């Protein structure tokens, strides 16, 4: 397997976290060695010396000093915590463009987090990224293309986002309500957040909220009404959307793909048993 190594260093200018009217200039190509790829990422997993991306071409791309990586569902962009630069960044795998998602973070901001929950989320098309800073009790949403950023206070748990809405939980030491927040900052109550063991994720099109806790259930993302549910052989800590019709879960018998309409289960092929995984364009059987 061919291996490509990228240092976790980016050249884009920082995005002011709390000044949505002051976007940064367009991102510039990263100055580090970079091998662009048109093939989408199939899946990613942690390694002892960083994180690796496994591409549809069979190549392995290793990003040094990376943590908390997520991949957009289109498989072309990633976001992660650059532990050397001490900030969250996003990277386009096709041309090496990068974007700072936060200012440099303090040690407390980097390390204080909700156990088992991801501090990053990406929209399905990879244009928008959200970074939850638990120590600041807020979430920063950034448009990768323009650099425009906005800060959402009192939002510490992320379930997903689209161009128009961010869905998460107010679990910052206050109540744990699930809320949908639009671009003007208006919050709408969607449901009750159970606890960190209740894995939840928003569909790429923003219509369904998936919850996995003993069984897998699907809710209307606008009203919170349960649409349907199916029994599963466990969810582990991983339950994510592959596309608008399929989710993948880390069950007791390995990674399984679930059809959200029928509940049919299919074993995911070629996915390693890793504790923390983010999926891009994983082929659906």
């Amino acid at each position: 397997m061919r291996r490509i190594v990228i240092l976790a260093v980016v050249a884009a200018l920082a995005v002011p976290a709390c000044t949505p009217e002051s976007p940064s200039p367009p991102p510039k190509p990263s100055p580090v060695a970079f091998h662009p790829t048109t093939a989408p990422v199939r899946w990613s997993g942690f390694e002892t010396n960083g994180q690796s991306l496994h591409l549809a071409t069979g190549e392995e791309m290793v990003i040094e000093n990376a943590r908390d990586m997520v991949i957009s569902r289109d498989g072309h962009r990633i976001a992660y915590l650059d532990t050397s630069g001490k900030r969250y960044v996003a990277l386009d795998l096709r041309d090496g463009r990068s974007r700072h998602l936060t200012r440099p973070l303090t040690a407390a901001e980097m390390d204080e987090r909700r156990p088992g929950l991801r501090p990053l989320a990406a929209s399905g098309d990879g244009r928008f990224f959200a970074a939850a800073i638990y120590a600041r009790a807020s979430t920063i949403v950034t448009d990768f293309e323009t650099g425009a950023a906005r800060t959402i206070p009192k939002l510490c748990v992320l379930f997903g986002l689209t161009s128009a809405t961010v869905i998460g939980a107010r679990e910052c030491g206050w109540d744990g309500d699930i809320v949908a927040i639009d671009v003007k900052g208006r919050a709408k109550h969607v449901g009750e957040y159970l606890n960190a063991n209740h894995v939840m994720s928003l569909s790429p099109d923003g219509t369904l909220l998936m919850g996995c806790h003993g069984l897998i259930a699907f809710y209307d993302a606008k009203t919170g009404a349960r649409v349907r549910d199916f029994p599963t052989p466990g969810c582990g800590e991983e339950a994510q959307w592959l596309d608008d019709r399929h989710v993948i879960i880390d069950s007791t018998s390995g990674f399984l793909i679930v059809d959200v309409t029928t509940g049919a289960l299919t074993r995911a092929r070629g996915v390693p048993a890793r504790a923390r995984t983010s999926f891009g364009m994983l082929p659906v059987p």
Side-chain angles (χ1 to χ4, degrees):
M1 177 183 290
R2 184 179 176 186
R3 237 165 162 250
I4 308 159
V5 179
I6 301 177
L7 296 179
V9 179
V10 294
L13 298 178
V15 176
C18 301
T19 54
E21 71 281 359
S22 302
S24 69
K28 298 178 181 179
S30 172
V32 301
F34 183 81
H35 181 80
T37 175
T38 57
V41 175
R42 296 180 64 180
W43 46 267
S44 76
F46 282 95
E47 287 192 342
T48 56
N49 62 341
Q51 274 193 324
S52 63
L53 297 175
H54 294 254
L55 309 181
T57 58
E59 295 172 309
E60 180 182 34
M61 181 181 294
V62 178
I63 299 182
E64 303 289 352
N65 304 314
R67 200 179 80 187
D68 304 329
M69 182 157 55
V70 295
I71 305 170
S72 61
R73 291 294 176 264
D74 64 3
H76 291 306
R77 285 178 178 160
I78 62 173
Y80 56 92
L81 175 64
D82 175 1
T83 57
S84 60
K86 299 181 179 180
R87 69 170 85 216
Y88 287 105
V89 299
L91 176 69
D92 193 307
L93 298 173
R94 294 164 293 187
D95 56 21
R97 287 184 302 157
S98 57
R99 174 72 73 186
H100 289 173
L101 303 180
T102 64
R103 60 164 174 75
L105 303 175
T106 66
E109 289 170 341
M110 290 175 61
D111 296 332
E112 188 176 348
R113 63 185 59 212
R114 289 299 307 272
L117 295 176
R118 295 181 185 278
L120 284 170
S123 63
D125 61 3
R127 175 161 182 171
F128 295 89
F129 292 91
I133 313 298
Y134 188 73
R136 273 195 259 166
S138 62
T139 289
I140 300 169
V141 180
T142 303
D143 183 331
F144 185 93
E145 296 299 338
T146 68
R150 60 191 175 102
T151 297
I152 302 174
K154 299 182 181 180
L155 186 71
C156 292
V157 177
L158 298 175
F159 300 140
L161 74 159
T162 65
S163 60
T165 308
V166 180
I167 291 188
R170 299 284 205 190
E171 189 54 59
C172 305
W174 295 277
D175 61 88
D177 286 353
I178 298 173
V179 291
I181 301 174
D182 66 16
V183 293
K184 294 184 178 180
R186 296 173 298 196
K188 179 181 179 181
H189 175 83
V190 175
E192 299 295 328
Y193 180 53
L194 298 180
N195 52 55
N197 294 321
H198 191 183
V199 180
M200 306 195 80
S201 182
L202 181 68
S203 62
D205 64 6
T207 61
L208 290 177
L209 187 63
M210 176 265 295
C212 204
H213 187 69
L215 54 78
I216 189 166
F218 300 93
Y219 306 85
D220 186 300
K222 292 183 178 179
T223 66
R226 181 175 293 196
V227 176
R228 66 185 72 92
D229 57 63
F230 305 109
T232 66
C235 292
E237 292 186 353
E238 299 295 329
Q240 302 171 49
W241 291 82
L242 292 180
D243 53 39
D244 294 329
R245 187 176 171 179
H246 300 90
V247 297
I248 186 167
I249 61 174
D250 182 11
S251 73
T252 54
S253 57
F255 281 103
L256 298 175
I257 296 173
V258 184
D259 186 306
V260 305
T261 302
T262 66
L265 300 175
T266 307
R267 185 173 300 279
R269 299 180 181 275
V271 180
R274 302 288 180 93
R276 301 293 286 171
T277 313
S278 180
F279 297 94
M281 293 288 286
L282 184 73
V284 177

